[in-house]
Amino acid sequence: MSEGADSRNVGEQLAAERARQKLDLSDVAARTRIPLRHLDAIEKGEHGNLPALPYSVGFVKSYANMLGLDGQALSRAFRDQIGGEQRAHFEPEAYEPVDPTRVPSRLLAMIALGVALLLGMGYLLLRFEGDSSDLAKLAADTVQDIRPVPARRPPPSAAVPAQPAVPTGPISVAASEDVWIKVSEREGARTYFMNVLAAGQSFTLPDDAVDPILRTGRPQSLKVLIGTTELPPVGEPDRLVRAYSLKRDALVAIATAKPDAAMPADGAANASDAGAVPDAFRSVPPIYDPAAGRADTAGPASDSDRRPRP
């Protein structure tokens, strides 16, 4: 007979093998880490003192493997033994037929069912009515509270006129035809250019100029520029311009001024800069221009300005 064949003697087989190997139960508990009381219950067959079946089967398997026995077979035999004991102690209760007198009649059952249905329907109706009134009140409050909010219009912003850009760059005088000009300081301390400026050429004012002015008798043949920005005409055609200011501040003011604004004057000597020529200059006798083949009505006022033009 193989180990574990007698399913009723699993605990006895383990106890006999332990005694044969001269081991105390405490030695087995120390090696297998199984509580001593559970090992004692396994050997004595006191299965009521053991934990649940899966744990007890695991204890038997570990105990048998430690002794060198077939733990798988003995644990299976122990499971069968426990199951047989549970089936042997099962005592089914006798079935007692139902007393027909205790069963309610069909009519009574139908009445009870009808009453239950009526109660349920009444509850649903009351619940629905309460919910409807609450919903109606909520809807009324919502409609009352929801009012159209007029859209806010942004305040009209004051239209800011676009300011012309401030021109930058060197100040220059360009000639569209041969013309005599003089560019010097207002106090006469320094003369930058005094000659005939040929057509298509230009003269660039030096950066260290303090208060330069322009003198010419033919302003229609000239144009003053700040960088690439061309300024309005220097004066009326064929009118003597004695002291047209070439200061950067004055030229920038002219370039950025509104079209209908008057040009800022730079002293009394600049009265002709905006085209307003004093009456004293209108009586200047005409000077013959050999190059133009005609009389120049706005020749230079001084003897040096009366040099012939090429």
Side-chain angles (χ1 to χ4, degrees):
M1 184 180 295
S2 61
E3 295 176 350
D6 188 358
S7 60
R8 297 172 297 177
N9 298 320
V10 174
E12 295 178 359
Q13 292 183 45
L14 293 174
E17 182 63 24
R18 177 179 60 80
R20 190 185 66 82
Q21 296 184 16
K22 297 180 181 180
L23 295 175
D24 293 334
L25 200 59
S26 58
D27 296 334
V28 178
R31 295 183 184 182
T32 60
R33 297 181 181 277
I34 300 174
L36 186 61
R37 65 181 184 278
H38 293 164
L39 294 174
D40 184 63
I42 291 173
E43 290 186 353
K44 294 180 179 180
E46 298 175 353
H47 300 151
N49 297 330
L50 293 173
L53 182 61
Y55 296 102
S56 302
V57 172
F59 292 161
V60 171
K61 184 177 180 180
S62 299
Y63 189 1
N65 289 335
M66 193 276 297
L67 296 175
L69 302 177
D70 189 354
Q72 188 71 25
L74 288 175
S75 62
R76 187 166 51 250
F78 183 78
R79 181 186 294 273
D80 296 340
Q81 180 180 347
I82 295 296
E85 291 178 357
Q86 292 178 351
R87 286 192 298 271
H89 289 85
F90 176 72
E91 297 179 357
E93 297 181 357
Y95 174 74
E96 181 180 357
V98 179
D99 187 0
T101 59
R102 297 181 182 180
V103 179
S105 63
R106 182 175 297 179
L107 178 60
L108 184 59
M110 294 297 292
I111 292 175
L113 180 60
V115 172
L117 290 175
L118 290 175
L119 291 176
M121 293 177 63
Y123 172 77
L124 292 177
L125 289 175
L126 291 175
R127 181 67 180 272
F128 179 75
E129 182 179 358
D131 293 346
S132 299
S133 61
D134 293 341
L135 291 176
K137 183 178 180 181
L138 180 60
D141 294 341
T142 304
V143 173
Q144 184 178 1
D145 292 340
I146 297 177
R147 299 176 182 175
V149 180
R152 293 186 178 180
R153 297 182 178 179
S157 57
V160 179
Q163 297 293 334
V166 177
T168 58
I171 299 173
S172 60
V173 180
S176 59
E177 58 183 358
D178 294 351
V179 57
W180 183 92
I181 66 171
K182 179 181 179 181
V183 179
S184 63
E185 288 290 339
R186 184 180 298 275
E187 301 299 332
R190 182 179 179 184
T191 299
Y192 301 107
F193 184 90
M194 187 174 64
N195 205 339
V196 175
L197 187 63
Q201 294 184 355
S202 63
F203 168 74
T204 301
L205 193 68
D207 295 335
D208 58 350
V210 179
D211 187 10
I213 57 175
L214 170 67
R215 180 186 179 95
T216 184
R218 300 174 61 191
Q220 72 273 15
S221 302
L222 293 174
K223 57 182 178 180
V224 178
L225 302 97
I226 303 178
T228 58
T229 302
E230 182 178 350
L231 273 67
V234 174
E236 295 182 359
D238 297 326
R239 293 290 182 180
L240 176 64
V241 176
R242 296 180 180 274
Y244 181 86
S245 177
L246 294 180
K247 288 181 65 175
R248 182 174 295 275
D249 295 344
L251 297 181
V252 169
I254 295 174
T256 58
K258 296 182 180 179
D260 54 348
M263 298 181 184
D266 186 19
N270 252 358
S272 62
D273 292 355
V277 182
D279 294 337
F281 297 157
R282 299 182 185 274
S283 61
V284 178
I287 299 175
Y288 180 76
D289 188 350
R294 57 182 175 82
D296 188 356
T297 60
S302 62
D303 295 339
S304 61
D305 293 344
R306 298 180 181 275
R307 64 185 64 186
R309 297 186 180 91

